[in-house]
Amino acid sequence: MKNNIELQNLTKKYVGFELKDISFNVPEGCIVGLIGENGAGKTTTIKSILNITKADGVIKIFGKDNKAYEKEIKKEIGVVLDDSFLSDYLTAKQINSIIKDAYKNWNENKFYDLLKQFNLPTDKLVKDFSSGMKMKLKIATAISHNPKLLILDEPTSGLDPVVRSEILDIFRKYIEEDETRSILLSTHITTDLEHISDYIVFIEKGKMVFNLPTNELLENYGIIKCSEEDFLKIDKNDYIKYRKQKYQYEILTSNKNNIRKRYNIATIDKPSIEDIMLFYIKGEK
């Protein structure tokens, strides 16, 4: 399987923060979710991939160095960033007229179909759009030149569940249409990733915590709820983090079947991606 993105030892230093040795791949035909709390380094990672932020390490897109082949690479990428530029004083129709000359693969019909699907006006100034409407316009713009790779930073932020569901369906269809395509998706709405992602990359305080297939993460991880007496019987090497509640302990394990057999524990809850993330961030060891 080829990789559309390859990161090796990505490092970027700021005053008071360091993104250190981030390594992961985004394979063809896959959606990779990038998670972590605010300030963890997700946006720095994405901007480094796009060469907006200059960082150390090896970054390859479509097997090519992201700096040496930047102009060629970016013709095949669709990008949605929180601060990406869409002039407030343009209409969707005017954006189409400008962008269709910039991309040889621009699909005008697809763009207008997406505008219709998202209930976006063609003649209204962007400055009069709500934040949700602006995000939908960015997504329509990113997809309509049929890129091989989508890089999305919080693309469903501020959208209601119905519209989010529509957008996730569009992302699924985008991958299904061409198995050489990929999506790198950074989001705080981790429930979205449970439905569409193939891999989860978790970054915390500038360091990578894990890079795992989503199904493996959800199948192997578990949350044990037990008394203090039972908690003290469990070897520290058999769990990741714990949280002490008023009347019980909650324990996160990455191998629930091993825990179940070793300690004869019958009930182990299935965690969400958000549960797992919060245990790593706020739990004790």
Side-chain angles (χ1 to χ4, degrees), residues 136-151:
K136 287 187 282 185
L137 179 58
K138 289 179 185 180
I139 291 167
T141 304
I143 290 177
S144 294
H145 69 282
N146 295 314
K148 190 176 178 181
L149 172 66
L150 284 179
I151 298 179

Side-chain angles (χ1 to χ4, degrees), residues 3-7 24-27 49 59-62 149-151 182 184:
N3 296 312
N4 281 337
I5 299 177
E6 297 174 49
L7 294 189
F24 65 86
N25 298 325
V26 179
I49 292 170
I59 305 172
K60 290 184 179 181
I61 301 177
F62 313 132
L149 172 66
L150 284 179
I151 298 179
S182 304
L184 176 61

Side-chain angles (χ1 to χ4, degrees), residues 4-5 26-27 29-33 148-152 168 170-172 174-175 181-186 196:
N4 281 337
I5 299 177
V26 179
C30 292
I31 298 175
V32 176
K148 190 176 178 181
L149 172 66
L150 284 179
I151 298 179
L152 311 166
L168 295 181
I170 287 170
F171 293 160
R172 286 192 198 94
Y174 164 84
I175 293 292
R181 294 173 174 174
S182 304
I183 297 176
L184 176 61
L185 168 60
S186 169
I196 66 165

Side-chain angles (χ1 to χ4, degrees), residues 224-236 239 241-244 248-252 263 265 284-285:
I224 305 161
K225 296 178 181 178
C226 62
S227 65
E228 182 175 7
E229 181 182 358
D230 288 336
F231 168 72
L232 294 173
K233 294 176 184 176
I234 300 175
D235 191 295
K236 288 186 176 181
Y239 64 83
K241 293 281 185 78
Y242 73 88
R243 295 190 301 211
K244 185 178 180 181
Q248 65 180 4
Y249 280 75
E250 295 181 348
I251 306 164
L252 178 70
Y263 299 99
I265 296 171
E284 299 178 58
K285 180 62 178 174

Side-chain angles (χ1 to χ4, degrees), residues 4-107:
N4 281 337
I5 299 177
E6 297 174 49
L7 294 189
Q8 296 176 25
N9 305 117
L10 181 67
T11 299
K12 176 67 179 178
K13 291 184 180 181
Y14 295 102
V15 176
F17 176 78
E18 182 180 8
L19 187 71
K20 189 173 182 181
D21 294 331
I22 303 298
S23 300
F24 65 86
N25 298 325
V26 179
E28 287 184 343
C30 292
I31 298 175
V32 176
L34 186 61
I35 65 171
E37 61 183 334
N38 283 335
K42 303 188 303 300
T43 298
T44 299
T45 299
I46 285 176
K47 289 188 174 181
S48 298
I49 292 170
L50 295 170
N51 202 31
I52 296 170
T53 296
K54 308 301 179 184
D56 296 321
V58 176
I59 305 172
K60 290 184 179 181
I61 301 177
F62 313 132
K64 300 175 181 179
D65 181 84
N66 75 319
K67 299 180 182 69
Y69 295 90
E70 181 177 4
K71 188 174 180 180
E72 177 184 334
I73 285 168
K74 286 188 173 178
K75 291 179 180 178
E76 300 293 333
I77 298 177
V79 179
V80 173
L81 300 178
D82 185 49
D83 56 356
S84 58
F85 175 76
L86 280 177
S87 172
D88 280 347
Y89 294 93
L90 291 174
T91 65
K93 185 182 289 185
Q94 290 169 329
I95 289 170
N96 173 71
S97 298
I98 293 168
I99 294 182
K100 70 179 182 181
D101 294 327
Y103 291 103
K104 64 179 181 180
N105 294 326
W106 180 257
N107 189 327

